[in-house]
Amino acid sequence: MMNLGWTLAISSLLVTACAHQAGPAGGAGPTLGPKAPATVAATPPPPPAADANPFFTPSTLPWHLPPFDRIKDADYRPAFDRGMADQLREVDAIAHDAAAPTFDNTVVALERSGRLLTRVSKVFFNLNASNTDDEMEKIEAEMAPRLAAHQDAILMNPALFARVDAVYQRRAGLGLDPESLQLLERYEKMFVRAGARLSDADKAKLKQINEQLSTLTTRFRQDVLKATREGAVVVDDAARLDGLSPEQVGAAAEAAKARGLAGKWVITLQNTTTQPSLEQLKDRALRERIFRASVGRADGGDADNTAVITKILALRSAQAQLLGYPDYASYALAEETAGTPAAVDGILGQLAPAALAKAKAEAGDIQRLIDAQARAAHAKPFRLEPWDWAFYAQQVRQARYDFDDAQVRPYFELDHVLRDGVFFAATKLYGITFRERKDLPVYQPDVRVFDVTDADGKPLALLLLDYYKRDNKQGGAWMDTFVDQSTLLDRRPVVVNNLNVPKPAPGAPALLTFDEVTTMFHEFGHALHGMLADTRYPMLSGTAVPPDFGEFPSQFNEMWARDPAVLANMARHWQTGAPMPKALLDKVLEAQTFGQGYATLEYLEAALLDLSWHETTAATVPAAAKVMAFEAAALAKDGVAYPPVPPRYHSPYFSHIFASSGYAAGYYAYIWSEILARDAGAWFQRHGGLSRASGEIFRRKILSRGRTEEPAALFQDFYGRAPEIGPLLEYRGLKLPGKAGAAPKR
């Protein structure tokens, strides 16, 4: 995913951040950053000497890569303080410029503001997600409400909005080029959606709401990190790890050593409900223990998020109603490609019956296998439970396609996949090449840095790869930027990809499942969206697009993991270098639609749950003690409740929607974007597949454009017509019922 991080949580004015989530750019743009009260920013403390704080001057490293070797926790607070103060002075000068408002002296001036705040925010929020510590978490909790207030001080500044609005009202006669006109329209919408047209009394209410939300979403994120860390399962007997590979057992031993538990093994938790180890562990009791540790996170104890959820929802409802919307879903979706909750209901409602039917068919196959094995062992059969699904589904797949992940993993060593798969496909499509550098500072020893060069030999970007799991790293996989591309600011992008692959024992290889390979390609699709950006303004650059379009390039890039030419190049045995046997390769490809009932249903459950939460109002938000009951009722109401298949995220650790606002009411974005991605894949197949000619068209019309035009128009220009659902259904091996499923009733 895109790590929307601080920028989306704060607003697109900070757009230099990416998307995500979230994109969640370094050194660019009007990053307003979370806010600080104007009174604090207006009288900043005397700054230390310029050379004492690495944020006070632009980095002199290639592409303005942050000087990680010089950055200390003590540098963040002074840099935030001065960054907010500097930007408020810049904004005050714009708002009270004696000259009449013009596009250049108002809108472009805002794009140039906040450079110091951008630098510190990009580094802090990136590292707070991937390499945090106790002090950084304290700083985050401190700065979140201040940054929220800082944003409000800018976006609710009446003099500033008057100038932006004056330029906007004259837009037809300004002769602006399309990208500049789009920037002006984005600024106008951003100010209005932030409350610029509200009365002073309602502005005061909204400011208070925004500060409270910033504090609560920060607490939610920190609670999830803590609960995930503390929820790791400690194993005393190596025999109970039967089913894991030697490399995985070694990784579990290393995780235990890192916690001071030498002689034991630790199964760390991923951010999703279902844990990877459930597919291999033979010990059913241990599988259940891991599953219950996963679903119990942040639901009780000292990291309980249930009360946090109810407070967030009540505040978001109040926020939306102040701005003229009936609920938060309507407010959030007005800026998405989908547009309305009804449109989201429509697409999810079409897919839900097909996904549920296929999941039930898959469950039937698994239950028959469980029963047959019980009869053969003269044992009592048991009912399929969520902690059994992956373990027995793997056996069903093995029987059907005659292979399992243990056979496949040796052919997907991480570095081979990176160089001979991910980079190989990118070079074939876009002509870009990669050279690893060891001479630049990094924030953690496992991080790798690559120069990215364009086909004409010109430098294009820096790419950082942070692939291994750590206890101080948030779960999941995401892309972010340290620097965003902008010709206005003369900035090339510095992009980072994060995964959470267990770090192998010293000397052992990092062997991946095919799902993990696909995730590498997915996140690299986000990276390409950032690295191939070619826009003037930071607010419109790279992944600064709605989430339901931002996931399109990443999900499109997944298709190359299945491409025969790419697979043949990267799937080589880590010891011998021998290619994966064709028979096994064919089986891997044939099996790709296996399990799509489960995968699609667990996703749809989470997406519909997100929408249900954000269609609540202050009067219908449940009490904290009833959060899980609301969740169960919402899934049942939407016709997707199926006990063997839990939602991809239960509410207390659903960070996409509660740890920031980036995907709130927008988790459906993955399936919406995947429709676009599979349509694009079908287009590529019709136009020669993995080729430079087709890649250049996709780069020119999609990857380089950011939000210089509205996403629906960009896609139509590329694809030639409106999106179609057929390629997605084919890719996932799903079939719609004879009669299209009705949208969920709300």
Side-chain angles (χ1 to χ4, degrees):
M1 76 174 188
M2 300 174 293
N3 188 356
L4 302 180
W6 69 288
T7 40
L8 282 191
I10 298 177
S11 102
S12 31
L13 230 199
L14 318 184
V15 165
T16 70
C18 139
H20 175 224
Q21 215 105 62
T31 64
L32 302 184
K35 320 159 181 182
T39 54
V40 174
T43 56
D51 60 355
N53 192 309
F55 292 113
F56 287 167
T57 55
S59 169
T60 58
L61 294 170
W63 318 147
H64 300 276
L65 176 76
F68 296 115
D69 54 338
R70 295 174 50 216
I71 295 170
K72 305 177 296 298
D73 284 355
D75 297 322
Y76 291 121
R77 284 187 181 89
F80 274 122
D81 286 342
R82 186 191 280 194
M84 288 186 281
D86 284 356
Q87 188 171 32
L88 285 180
R89 282 193 293 270
E90 293 164 350
V91 166
D92 185 69
I94 296 167
H96 297 97
D97 190 341
T102 66
F103 179 76
D104 284 336
N105 72 16
T106 301
V107 177
V108 174
L110 282 171
E111 281 290 271
R112 294 182 180 278
S113 73
R115 303 287 287 279
L116 169 55
L117 184 56
T118 296
R119 285 197 295 273
V120 61
S121 295
K122 296 299 281 177
V123 173
F124 178 81
F125 288 103
N126 262 295
L127 270 56
N128 195 42
S130 62
N131 202 47
T132 193
D133 56 37
D134 291 344
E135 179 62 15
M136 291 184 74
E137 291 191 351
K138 291 177 184 175
I139 295 170
E140 179 190 24
E142 239 178 80
M143 288 297 164
R146 294 189 59 205
L147 288 167
H150 176 76
Q151 176 182 319
D152 286 342
I154 295 173
L155 295 180
M156 294 188 200
N157 181 320
L160 181 63
F161 176 61
R163 291 181 67 88
V164 171
D165 189 53
V167 177
Y168 178 75
Q169 298 304 330
R170 304 196 318 270
R171 64 193 181 282
L174 296 179
L176 297 177
D177 61 85
E179 183 177 346
S180 296
L181 182 60
Q182 174 75 349
L183 179 71
L184 176 57
E185 291 176 345
R186 296 309 313 152
Y187 264 95
E188 176 77 6
K189 286 185 178 181
M190 181 177 63
F191 273 86
V192 171
R193 285 174 60 80
R197 294 193 187 278
L198 295 178
S199 67
D200 288 345
D202 283 345
K203 283 181 180 177
K205 291 178 186 176
L206 188 56
K207 287 177 181 179
Q208 186 176 31
I209 288 170
N210 290 341
E211 289 191 40
Q212 291 175 301
L213 282 171
S214 67
T215 297
L216 289 166
T217 54
T218 296
R219 179 179 165 187
F220 187 97
R221 190 196 73 79
Q222 293 185 355
D223 282 350
V224 172
L225 181 63
K226 180 180 180 181
T228 299
R229 182 170 59 239
E230 294 178 352
V233 175
V234 180
V235 179
D236 297 323
D237 182 359
R240 300 195 67 189
L241 301 178
D242 189 16
L244 298 186
S245 69
E247 293 80 18
Q248 290 171 300
V249 173
E254 288 297 311
K257 286 181 186 176
R259 293 171 178 236
L261 299 172
K264 299 182 187 293
W265 297 262
V266 167
I267 306 296
T268 55
L269 299 179
Q270 303 291 328
N271 66 331
T272 51
T273 294
T274 299
Q275 299 297 309
S277 57
L278 300 183
E279 184 176 298
Q280 297 164 272
L281 287 167
K282 296 179 180 180
D283 187 324
R284 188 171 188 242
L286 180 56
R287 292 202 308 269
E288 180 178 359
R289 185 178 160 206
I290 292 169
F291 177 82
R292 293 196 182 280
S294 177
V295 299
R297 281 175 290 167
D299 180 13
D302 59 357
D304 187 356
N305 267 335
T306 54
V308 179
I309 288 170
T310 63
K311 292 174 184 175
I312 288 172
L313 291 167
L315 288 167
R316 284 178 177 168
S317 173
Q319 179 187 55
Q321 291 181 5
L322 271 176
L323 294 167
Y325 294 87
D327 52 53
Y328 189 84
S330 298
Y331 166 75
L333 291 171
E335 275 292 275
E336 300 284 337
T337 310
T340 65
V344 176
D345 277 349
I347 192 65
L348 299 184
Q350 284 188 67
L351 289 170
L356 181 60
K358 185 155 188 178
K360 287 183 174 180
E362 292 167 359
D365 290 340
I366 293 171
Q367 189 66 60
R368 283 187 285 276
L369 175 63
I370 291 172
D371 294 346
Q373 290 184 358
R375 285 194 299 272
H378 303 291
K380 182 179 179 180
F382 54 85
R383 185 181 63 183
L384 170 65
E385 297 286 357
W387 52 87
D388 299 315
W389 188 294
F391 181 73
Y392 287 99
Q394 167 78 342
Q395 295 179 48
V396 172
R397 184 179 70 172
Q398 183 177 2
R400 187 169 299 169
Y401 300 103
D402 193 27
F403 82 95
D404 62 18
D405 280 339
Q407 294 171 270
V408 171
R409 281 178 183 270
Y411 294 94
F412 291 128
E413 189 272 328
L414 189 150
D415 197 57
H416 281 307
V417 171
L418 175 66
R419 295 181 181 279
D420 301 327
V422 173
F423 288 172
F424 170 79
T427 301
K428 289 288 186 182
L429 288 165
Y430 312 114
I432 59 178
T433 54
F434 306 84
R435 179 179 66 87
E436 188 161 12
R437 299 188 63 160
K438 306 282 191 179
D439 61 325
L440 296 174
V442 291
Y443 56 85
Q444 207 279 340
D446 294 325
V447 176
R448 302 169 69 179
V449 183
F450 292 82
D451 264 330
V452 186
T453 303
D454 214 339
D456 60 4
K458 293 180 180 178
L460 184 67
L462 273 184
L463 172 67
L464 280 66
L465 301 177
D466 186 351
Y467 278 166
Y468 292 129
K469 180 172 178 58
R470 296 183 290 275
D471 277 349
N472 66 341
K473 184 179 186 181
Q474 72 179 23
W478 69 96
M479 167 267 188
D480 206 331
T481 58
F482 286 102
V483 180
D484 286 324
Q485 180 274 334
S486 166
T487 59
L488 175 73
L489 302 177
D490 191 25
R491 292 291 185 264
R492 292 187 177 94
V494 178
V495 171
V496 61
N497 268 180
N498 285 273
L499 302 182
N500 266 284
V501 176
K503 185 176 180 179
L511 304 180
L512 308 178
T513 66
F514 192 68
D515 283 347
E516 290 169 329
V517 171
T518 302
T519 298
M520 282 184 68
F521 276 82
H522 176 102
E523 295 307 329
F524 196 73
H526 285 309
L528 289 167
H529 203 182
M531 293 189 298
L532 299 181
D534 186 15
T535 65
R536 188 179 319 155
Y537 304 113
M539 177 179 280
L540 305 178
S541 183
T543 56
V545 297
D548 65 358
F549 191 77
E551 295 297 333
F552 160 35
S554 56
Q555 293 190 106
F556 162 74
N557 204 59
E558 292 176 10
M559 71 175 282
W560 304 116
R562 296 189 188 186
D563 184 82
V566 177
L567 271 170
N569 198 63
M570 73 174 170
R572 294 182 174 272
H573 197 282
W574 73 275
Q575 289 174 305
T576 67
M580 182 184 287
K582 185 177 184 305
L584 180 56
L585 189 61
D586 290 344
K587 291 171 186 174
V588 170
L589 293 173
E590 290 169 7
Q592 288 312 294
T593 58
F594 180 82
Q596 282 298 319
Y598 183 102
T600 307
L601 184 60
E602 68 157 2
Y603 165 76
L604 290 175
E605 288 173 320
L608 287 163
L609 178 61
D610 168 33
L611 208 58
S612 290
W613 277 127
H614 287 102
E615 287 183 324
T616 58
T617 63
T620 58
V621 172
K626 295 184 177 180
V627 161
M628 300 311 293
F630 177 96
E631 176 180 299
L635 296 174
K637 174 190 64 177
D638 287 336
V640 291
Y642 186 48
V645 182
R648 185 174 295 177
Y649 305 98
H650 282 294
S651 301
Y653 51 92
F654 202 165
S655 294
H656 283 75
I657 67 171
F658 292 127
S660 79
S661 62
Y663 282 86
Y667 191 66
Y668 76 94
Y670 288 93
I671 206 74
W672 190 280
S673 291
E674 192 176 357
I675 294 172
L676 309 182
R678 302 314 160 217
D679 286 352
W683 183 94
F684 265 77
Q685 296 307 327
R686 294 194 300 269
H687 291 82
L690 188 75
S691 72
R692 277 294 306 283
S694 294
E696 285 301 314
I697 293 172
F698 190 69
R699 175 178 180 173
R700 175 166 47 86
K701 294 192 172 188
I702 300 293
L703 295 177
S704 68
R705 296 291 305 279
R707 198 173 184 170
T708 54
E709 194 171 350
E710 284 305 291
L714 291 175
F715 182 80
Q716 181 110 1
D717 180 53
F718 164 71
Y719 193 56
R721 55 183 180 274
E724 305 165 292
I725 200 171
L728 168 67
L729 296 173
E730 180 180 354
Y731 194 85
R732 288 188 172 232
L734 300 174
K735 293 181 180 178
L736 290 178
K739 185 177 181 181
K745 295 179 181 178
R746 296 185 174 279

